[in-house]
Amino acid sequence: RKEKAVKAIKQKYQTNKLSADDIHLCLYSICDNNSFLNSDRVPIDKVLDYLSTHFSPDTIEDGYSLSIVSGEDGARLSHSHEKQYYYALQSLTLWRDITDDMFRLWCMAEEDLLSETVTYSLQDTGQGMQRVQQSPRTYKAMQQILARVQSKVSHWVGSSVIHMGDHNVPNALSFIDKYTQVPRILGPIVSCLENLERIVEEDDGIKDMVQGFGGYEKIRKDILYDFFKSAFDGSGADNFYDAGSCIDGRLTSAWNWCSQLPTKDFYLFFKLTGFTGFDGAFK
């Protein structure tokens, strides 16, 4: 059916200036984008839904306050429960909008990297020798995305600094690579949460163990509580320029949470639901 529709559209709209091959390329580019959004944006949408379903900015459930204090449990920010809720919400919304616009950002990044007017220099950024280059097109596109997200929320929490062309994000390609990691972070979390009930139903031994942790609903809540609190706490570096609440620092904190996952009490349930790592195929 799809191929039949593509053929019909090419026959209807091809002209001397627009060939059938060009139309074919455009249609399949749209399909590629839809497939990308289905695989990369869906985990963000689900985690946003988890946040609004399991937590409220106005109500604090006993034992599940999202408030953080700088210097405690690795946090480098201080937020009330309400402020932390909105900080996590805004960060996830920003990641979703960046993912939505990823194909345009790729185009901007390629133009910046191949620019004949903006030169680059090889510098040791602390992560090896990197091509450090200003990326005006990508930076402007990112500013537009950020402004759009800020217009959606009631008030913005944290810094609005965008790192690009410095030792944190050396160039546009590094920027793109950072944000294509978002589904790699959120995908395993969603997979674990969605499969907890299944493993309980399939194995009586696991069922008894899960009951010892208070049941799978409590385990879900505990995982989400730890993630929304500790993955958005400004951690991951020893100064506010490299981490903190800046746009890039929000992702740094999430990666820091990933690195600490094996130390969490609920890590066992990630393994039982098929978790193998944050870089690869997830079952």
Side-chain angles (χ1 to χ4, degrees), residues 140-208:
K140 182 178 180 180
M142 185 60 194
Q143 283 184 312
Q144 293 169 346
I145 294 170
L146 178 59
R148 186 168 68 236
V149 172
Q150 290 176 325
S151 69
K152 295 178 182 178
V153 298
S154 56
H155 59 281
W156 184 256
V157 178
S159 170
S160 298
V161 173
I162 302 170
H163 288 289
M164 204 175 300
D166 59 17
H167 75 274
N168 287 293
V169 185
N171 53 60
L173 181 60
S174 299
F175 167 82
I176 291 292
D177 181 64
K178 276 181 174 286
Y179 286 95
T180 55
Q181 306 307 313
V182 171
R184 295 180 182 271
I185 296 173
L186 302 183
I189 299 172
V190 171
S191 178
C192 177
L193 297 174
E194 290 183 339
N195 285 288
L196 273 172
E197 186 174 358
R198 175 185 59 79
I199 63 172
V200 167
E201 294 174 349
E202 292 178 351
D203 191 292
D204 289 338
I206 293 178
K207 180 178 181 180
D208 292 339

Side-chain angles (χ1 to χ4, degrees), residues 120-137:
Y120 69 89
S121 62
L122 289 176
Q123 298 179 24
D124 186 350
T125 63
Q127 302 180 57
M129 297 298 292
Q130 301 285 338
R131 172 177 170 156
V132 178
Q133 180 183 25
Q134 295 299 311
S135 308
R137 297 175 183 84

Side-chain angles (χ1 to χ4, degrees), residues 42-59:
V42 167
I44 309 175
D45 288 334
K46 289 184 176 181
V47 174
L48 277 165
D49 183 63
Y50 288 141
L51 178 60
S52 61
T53 300
H54 292 274
F55 298 91
S56 166
D58 306 316
T59 306

Side-chain angles (χ1 to χ4, degrees), residues 69-83:
V69 178
S70 179
E72 294 185 6
D73 300 320
R76 300 191 66 254
L77 301 172
S78 294
H79 288 163
S80 65
H81 170 85
E82 179 185 14
K83 195 172 183 179

Side-chain angles (χ1 to χ4, degrees), residues 33 35 40 45 65 117 129 176 192 219 231-232 256 277:
N33 187 52
S35 296
D40 284 40
D45 288 334
S65 171
T117 58
M129 297 298 292
I176 291 292
C192 177
I219 295 170
F232 300 91
N256 189 57

Side-chain angles (χ1 to χ4, degrees), residues 240-253:
F240 282 103
Y241 187 75
D242 294 339
S245 65
C246 65
I247 302 306
D248 182 60
R250 297 165 192 250
L251 195 51
T252 301
S253 299

